[in-house]
Amino acid sequence: MQKIAPCLWFNGNAEEAAEFYMSVFSASRIVTTMHYPEAGPGPKGKVLAITFEIEGQEFMALNGGPQFTFTPAISLFVHCASQEEVDRYWTKLTEGGGSPWQCGWLKDRFGISWQIVPDSLGDMLRDRDDAKASRVMAAMMKMVKLDLAQLERAYRGE
């Protein structure tokens, strides 16, 4: 068990969200499911919380109600080794009502914000050659889904 795990507040669809994320990431599993007892604020037997794991990261999904919603102030950052990985996660996470944003950000159908980013982008942006890093930043700022080949061309000055 992780010492610290994010708890995501849903409005009655925590189980559906956990199942969706497990369909997106192959290395995922349900850890535990907790149901409302008779004394709970929800109907007895309905899912109160579900703990799931994605790529070794534990999350709790709580059916808390409509009081709170997600904002982009917190996002989940996905490290991608290739353009194929960027494309795969981008497609799956925008399915069924997700919406793309600028610079590799998207919001899934549950309202959670994600950053789908090729690992090499960080290396390019941290380059000591400011001209290279600036070209990459300028190229990235024009993108919605990140295009690794285009970022690499900007890095090389092509």
Side-chain angles (χ1 to χ4, degrees):
M1 179 187 305
Q2 287 175 196
K3 185 75 164 175
I4 299 172
C7 179
L8 307 172
W9 182 291
F10 292 90
N11 183 16
N13 57 354
E15 190 171 21
E16 177 187 350
E19 293 290 339
F20 173 69
Y21 300 133
M22 290 185 9
S23 76
V24 172
F25 298 92
S26 58
S28 61
R29 68 186 182 100
I30 298 293
V31 178
T32 61
T33 304
M34 186 183 326
H35 297 87
Y36 282 106
E38 188 152 335
K44 181 181 180 191
K46 182 172 171 53
V47 171
L48 166 62
I50 186 164
T51 301
F52 61 100
E53 195 176 274
I54 299 173
E55 301 288 341
Q57 172 68 51
E58 185 178 286
F59 295 87
M60 177 183 278
L62 173 71
N63 277 325
Q67 298 90 333
F68 302 110
T69 57
F70 298 110
T71 76
I74 298 283
S75 62
L76 302 178
F77 190 100
V78 180
H79 293 273
C80 297
S82 66
Q83 185 66 48
E84 292 76 25
E85 224 181 342
V86 168
D87 295 344
R88 184 174 70 247
Y89 290 129
W90 188 270
T91 298
K92 288 183 174 188
L93 287 166
T94 56
E95 280 178 357
S99 56
W101 290 352
Q102 187 175 355
C103 303
W105 288 60
L106 64 88
K107 186 186 298 186
D108 70 27
R109 68 183 188 213
F110 298 99
I112 293 182
S113 297
W114 297 80
Q115 297 180 58
I116 311 302
V117 181
D119 289 332
S120 59
L121 175 61
D123 295 333
M124 290 185 276
L125 290 173
R126 285 188 298 272
D127 196 293
R128 290 180 186 222
D129 183 334
D130 189 58
K132 288 180 176 180
S134 291
R135 287 192 306 265
V136 171
M137 178 64 77
M140 181 190 72
M141 294 301 292
K142 295 175 187 169
M143 295 179 187
V144 177
K145 180 176 73 171
L146 298 181
D147 181 326
L148 184 54
Q150 189 175 350
L151 292 167
E152 288 170 342
R153 284 192 297 276
Y155 183 74
R156 293 187 304 266
E158 297 172 2

